[in-house]
Amino acid sequence: MSMDAELALQQAIQSRLMADGPLAALLDGRIYDDVPAQAPFPYLASGEARSRDWSSGDSIGTDVTLTLIVYSRAHGRREAKEIAGAVKAALHEADLALTDHTLVSLRFRDGHIARQRDGITWRQELRFRALVEKT
């Protein structure tokens, strides 16, 4: 069975992030698709993903916009920003191997940071755009 482009991309990104030394030092492996209850801070979570057709001619392609979210309870934004910087360094223009697909490009698109309503949690969103072709 062929793997969906978005799932193939998610798995490759998860593998890259888990293997990244600077990010591992900051998060101690706390990179989640589904955040466990009572997860210690800081951590990185998968957020929203959107896909649209990017096919042309004989090529089947998918344009994926995905969000990764840093959660921190450190005083100030520094910790969240450091983690976000490590995520960007690991993924922007990365050459990732995908199952049943080829990654054409992966680029950081934009980000946003805000303190949450609880008054102690910072949420840093990072959006990436990927173009993926079916192999």
mmCIF file with all atom_site columns, all heavy atoms in Angstrom, residues 31-42:
data_model
loop_
_atom_site.group_PDB
_atom_site.id
_atom_site.type_symbol
_atom_site.label_atom_id
_atom_site.label_alt_id
_atom_site.label_comp_id
_atom_site.label_asym_id
_atom_site.label_entity_id
_atom_site.label_seq_id
_atom_site.pdbx_PDB_ins_code
_atom_site.Cartn_x
_atom_site.Cartn_y
_atom_site.Cartn_z
_atom_site.occupancy
_atom_site.B_iso_or_equiv
_atom_site.pdbx_formal_charge
_atom_site.auth_seq_id
_atom_site.auth_comp_id
_atom_site.auth_asym_id
_atom_site.auth_atom_id
_atom_site.pdbx_PDB_model_num
ATOM 1  N N   . ILE A 1 31 ? 9.242  15.394 21.748 1.00 0.00 ? 31 ILE A N   1
ATOM 2  C CA  . ILE A 1 31 ? 8.707  15.781 20.441 1.00 0.00 ? 31 ILE A CA  1
ATOM 3  C C   . ILE A 1 31 ? 7.522  14.868 20.191 1.00 0.00 ? 31 ILE A C   1
ATOM 4  O O   . ILE A 1 31 ? 7.685  13.653 20.094 1.00 0.00 ? 31 ILE A O   1
ATOM 5  C CB  . ILE A 1 31 ? 9.773  15.632 19.347 1.00 0.00 ? 31 ILE A CB  1
ATOM 6  C CG1 . ILE A 1 31 ? 10.986 16.517 19.672 1.00 0.00 ? 31 ILE A CG1 1
ATOM 7  C CG2 . ILE A 1 31 ? 9.193  15.966 17.979 1.00 0.00 ? 31 ILE A CG2 1
ATOM 8  C CD1 . ILE A 1 31 ? 12.188 16.295 18.777 1.00 0.00 ? 31 ILE A CD1 1
ATOM 9  N N   . TYR A 1 32 ? 6.326  15.446 20.120 1.00 0.00 ? 32 TYR A N   1
ATOM 10 C CA  . TYR A 1 32 ? 5.103  14.645 20.124 1.00 0.00 ? 32 TYR A CA  1
ATOM 11 C C   . TYR A 1 32 ? 4.193  14.912 18.932 1.00 0.00 ? 32 TYR A C   1
ATOM 12 O O   . TYR A 1 32 ? 4.036  16.057 18.506 1.00 0.00 ? 32 TYR A O   1
ATOM 13 C CB  . TYR A 1 32 ? 4.278  14.948 21.386 1.00 0.00 ? 32 TYR A CB  1
ATOM 14 C CG  . TYR A 1 32 ? 5.025  14.780 22.679 1.00 0.00 ? 32 TYR A CG  1
ATOM 15 C CD1 . TYR A 1 32 ? 5.263  15.870 23.511 1.00 0.00 ? 32 TYR A CD1 1
ATOM 16 C CD2 . TYR A 1 32 ? 5.492  13.535 23.079 1.00 0.00 ? 32 TYR A CD2 1
ATOM 17 C CE1 . TYR A 1 32 ? 5.933  15.720 24.718 1.00 0.00 ? 32 TYR A CE1 1
ATOM 18 C CE2 . TYR A 1 32 ? 6.167  13.377 24.288 1.00 0.00 ? 32 TYR A CE2 1
ATOM 19 C CZ  . TYR A 1 32 ? 6.377  14.474 25.090 1.00 0.00 ? 32 TYR A CZ  1
ATOM 20 O OH  . TYR A 1 32 ? 7.046  14.317 26.288 1.00 0.00 ? 32 TYR A OH  1
ATOM 21 N N   . ASP A 1 33 ? 3.550  13.847 18.478 1.00 0.00 ? 33 ASP A N   1
ATOM 22 C CA  . ASP A 1 33 ? 2.423  13.972 17.558 1.00 0.00 ? 33 ASP A CA  1
ATOM 23 C C   . ASP A 1 33 ? 1.156  14.087 18.402 1.00 0.00 ? 33 ASP A C   1
ATOM 24 O O   . ASP A 1 33 ? 0.264  14.859 18.104 1.00 0.00 ? 33 ASP A O   1
ATOM 25 C CB  . ASP A 1 33 ? 2.350  12.759 16.627 1.00 0.00 ? 33 ASP A CB  1
ATOM 26 C CG  . ASP A 1 33 ? 1.174  12.835 15.680 1.00 0.00 ? 33 ASP A CG  1
ATOM 27 O OD1 . ASP A 1 33 ? 0.866  13.938 15.188 1.00 0.00 ? 33 ASP A OD1 1
ATOM 28 O OD2 . ASP A 1 33 ? 0.557  11.792 15.439 1.00 0.00 ? 33 ASP A OD2 1
ATOM 29 N N   . ASP A 1 34 ? 1.111  13.307 19.480 1.00 0.00 ? 34 ASP A N   1
ATOM 30 C CA  . ASP A 1 34 ? 0.001  13.336 20.428 1.00 0.00 ? 34 ASP A CA  1
ATOM 31 C C   . ASP A 1 34 ? 0.613  13.570 21.811 1.00 0.00 ? 34 ASP A C   1
ATOM 32 O O   . ASP A 1 34 ? 1.282  12.695 22.354 1.00 0.00 ? 34 ASP A O   1
ATOM 33 C CB  . ASP A 1 34 ? -0.760 12.007 20.381 1.00 0.00 ? 34 ASP A CB  1
ATOM 34 C CG  . ASP A 1 34 ? -1.994 11.999 21.253 1.00 0.00 ? 34 ASP A CG  1
ATOM 35 O OD1 . ASP A 1 34 ? -2.549 13.084 21.519 1.00 0.00 ? 34 ASP A OD1 1
ATOM 36 O OD2 . ASP A 1 34 ? -2.408 10.901 21.674 1.00 0.00 ? 34 ASP A OD2 1
ATOM 37 N N   . VAL A 1 35 ? 0.421  14.755 22.356 1.00 0.00 ? 35 VAL A N   1
ATOM 38 C CA  . VAL A 1 35 ? 1.055  15.127 23.620 1.00 0.00 ? 35 VAL A CA  1
ATOM 39 C C   . VAL A 1 35 ? 0.452  14.329 24.770 1.00 0.00 ? 35 VAL A C   1
ATOM 40 O O   . VAL A 1 35 ? -0.757 14.343 24.972 1.00 0.00 ? 35 VAL A O   1
ATOM 41 C CB  . VAL A 1 35 ? 0.898  16.645 23.887 1.00 0.00 ? 35 VAL A CB  1
ATOM 42 C CG1 . VAL A 1 35 ? 1.559  17.031 25.198 1.00 0.00 ? 35 VAL A CG1 1
ATOM 43 C CG2 . VAL A 1 35 ? 1.462  17.447 22.728 1.00 0.00 ? 35 VAL A CG2 1
ATOM 44 N N   . PRO A 1 36 ? 1.292  13.620 25.536 1.00 0.00 ? 36 PRO A N   1
ATOM 45 C CA  . PRO A 1 36 ? 0.765  12.872 26.670 1.00 0.00 ? 36 PRO A CA  1
ATOM 46 C C   . PRO A 1 36 ? 0.296  13.806 27.796 1.00 0.00 ? 36 PRO A C   1
ATOM 47 O O   . PRO A 1 36 ? 0.800  14.927 27.935 1.00 0.00 ? 36 PRO A O   1
ATOM 48 C CB  . PRO A 1 36 ? 1.954  12.029 27.140 1.00 0.00 ? 36 PRO A CB  1
ATOM 49 C CG  . PRO A 1 36 ? 3.159  12.605 26.518 1.00 0.00 ? 36 PRO A CG  1
ATOM 50 C CD  . PRO A 1 36 ? 2.736  13.447 25.359 1.00 0.00 ? 36 PRO A CD  1
ATOM 51 N N   . ALA A 1 37 ? -0.645 13.331 28.571 1.00 0.00 ? 37 ALA A N   1
ATOM 52 C CA  . ALA A 1 37 ? -1.110 14.109 29.729 1.00 0.00 ? 37 ALA A CA  1
ATOM 53 C C   . ALA A 1 37 ? 0.069  14.344 30.662 1.00 0.00 ? 37 ALA A C   1
ATOM 54 O O   . ALA A 1 37 ? 0.927  13.481 30.830 1.00 0.00 ? 37 ALA A O   1
ATOM 55 C CB  . ALA A 1 37 ? -2.214 13.341 30.452 1.00 0.00 ? 37 ALA A CB  1
ATOM 56 N N   . GLN A 1 38 ? 0.128  15.515 31.223 1.00 0.00 ? 38 GLN A N   1
ATOM 57 C CA  . GLN A 1 38 ? 1.174  15.895 32.172 1.00 0.00 ? 38 GLN A CA  1
ATOM 58 C C   . GLN A 1 38 ? 2.575  15.886 31.565 1.00 0.00 ? 38 GLN A C   1
ATOM 59 O O   . GLN A 1 38 ? 3.560  15.657 32.288 1.00 0.00 ? 38 GLN A O   1
ATOM 60 C CB  . GLN A 1 38 ? 1.134  14.977 33.413 1.00 0.00 ? 38 GLN A CB  1
ATOM 61 C CG  . GLN A 1 38 ? -0.220 14.880 34.096 1.00 0.00 ? 38 GLN A CG  1
ATOM 62 C CD  . GLN A 1 38 ? -0.755 16.244 34.523 1.00 0.00 ? 38 GLN A CD  1
ATOM 63 O OE1 . GLN A 1 38 ? -0.027 17.065 35.052 1.00 0.00 ? 38 GLN A OE1 1
ATOM 64 N NE2 . GLN A 1 38 ? -2.034 16.489 34.273 1.00 0.00 ? 38 GLN A NE2 1
ATOM 65 N N   . ALA A 1 39 ? 2.683  16.123 30.271 1.00 0.00 ? 39 ALA A N   1
ATOM 66 C CA  . ALA A 1 39 ? 4.001  16.181 29.622 1.00 0.00 ? 39 ALA A CA  1
ATOM 67 C C   . ALA A 1 39 ? 4.811  17.317 30.240 1.00 0.00 ? 39 ALA A C   1
ATOM 68 O O   . ALA A 1 39 ? 4.303  18.426 30.411 1.00 0.00 ? 39 ALA A O   1
ATOM 69 C CB  . ALA A 1 39 ? 3.840  16.408 28.128 1.00 0.00 ? 39 ALA A CB  1
ATOM 70 N N   . PRO A 1 40 ? 6.073  17.054 30.579 1.00 0.00 ? 40 PRO A N   1
ATOM 71 C CA  . PRO A 1 40 ? 6.905  18.125 31.139 1.00 0.00 ? 40 PRO A CA  1
ATOM 72 C C   . PRO A 1 40 ? 7.268  19.149 30.063 1.00 0.00 ? 40 PRO A C   1
ATOM 73 O O   . PRO A 1 40 ? 7.393  18.822 28.885 1.00 0.00 ? 40 PRO A O   1
ATOM 74 C CB  . PRO A 1 40 ? 8.142  17.391 31.651 1.00 0.00 ? 40 PRO A CB  1
ATOM 75 C CG  . PRO A 1 40 ? 8.177  16.100 30.930 1.00 0.00 ? 40 PRO A CG  1
ATOM 76 C CD  . PRO A 1 40 ? 6.772  15.774 30.533 1.00 0.00 ? 40 PRO A CD  1
ATOM 77 N N   . PHE A 1 41 ? 7.435  20.387 30.482 1.00 0.00 ? 41 PHE A N   1
ATOM 78 C CA  . PHE A 1 41 ? 7.830  21.469 29.585 1.00 0.00 ? 41 PHE A CA  1
ATOM 79 C C   . PHE A 1 41 ? 9.347  21.560 29.551 1.00 0.00 ? 41 PHE A C   1
ATOM 80 O O   . PHE A 1 41 ? 9.986  21.197 30.524 1.00 0.00 ? 41 PHE A O   1
ATOM 81 C CB  . PHE A 1 41 ? 7.241  22.793 30.085 1.00 0.00 ? 41 PHE A CB  1
ATOM 82 C CG  . PHE A 1 41 ? 5.757  22.884 29.911 1.00 0.00 ? 41 PHE A CG  1
ATOM 83 C CD1 . PHE A 1 41 ? 4.905  22.361 30.875 1.00 0.00 ? 41 PHE A CD1 1
ATOM 84 C CD2 . PHE A 1 41 ? 5.209  23.490 28.801 1.00 0.00 ? 41 PHE A CD2 1
ATOM 85 C CE1 . PHE A 1 41 ? 3.531  22.447 30.726 1.00 0.00 ? 41 PHE A CE1 1
ATOM 86 C CE2 . PHE A 1 41 ? 3.835  23.579 28.638 1.00 0.00 ? 41 PHE A CE2 1
ATOM 87 C CZ  . PHE A 1 41 ? 2.988  23.057 29.611 1.00 0.00 ? 41 PHE A CZ  1
ATOM 88 N N   . PRO A 1 42 ? 9.930  22.056 28.489 1.00 0.00 ? 42 PRO A N   1
ATOM 89 C CA  . PRO A 1 42 ? 9.325  22.423 27.216 1.00 0.00 ? 42 PRO A CA  1
ATOM 90 C C   . PRO A 1 42 ? 9.121  21.187 26.348 1.00 0.00 ? 42 PRO A C   1
ATOM 91 O O   . PRO A 1 42 ? 9.729  20.140 26.583 1.00 0.00 ? 42 PRO A O   1
ATOM 92 C CB  . PRO A 1 42 ? 10.371 23.346 26.586 1.00 0.00 ? 42 PRO A CB  1
ATOM 93 C CG  . PRO A 1 42 ? 11.670 22.797 27.084 1.00 0.00 ? 42 PRO A CG  1
ATOM 94 C CD  . PRO A 1 42 ? 11.377 22.328 28.496 1.00 0.00 ? 42 PRO A CD  1
#
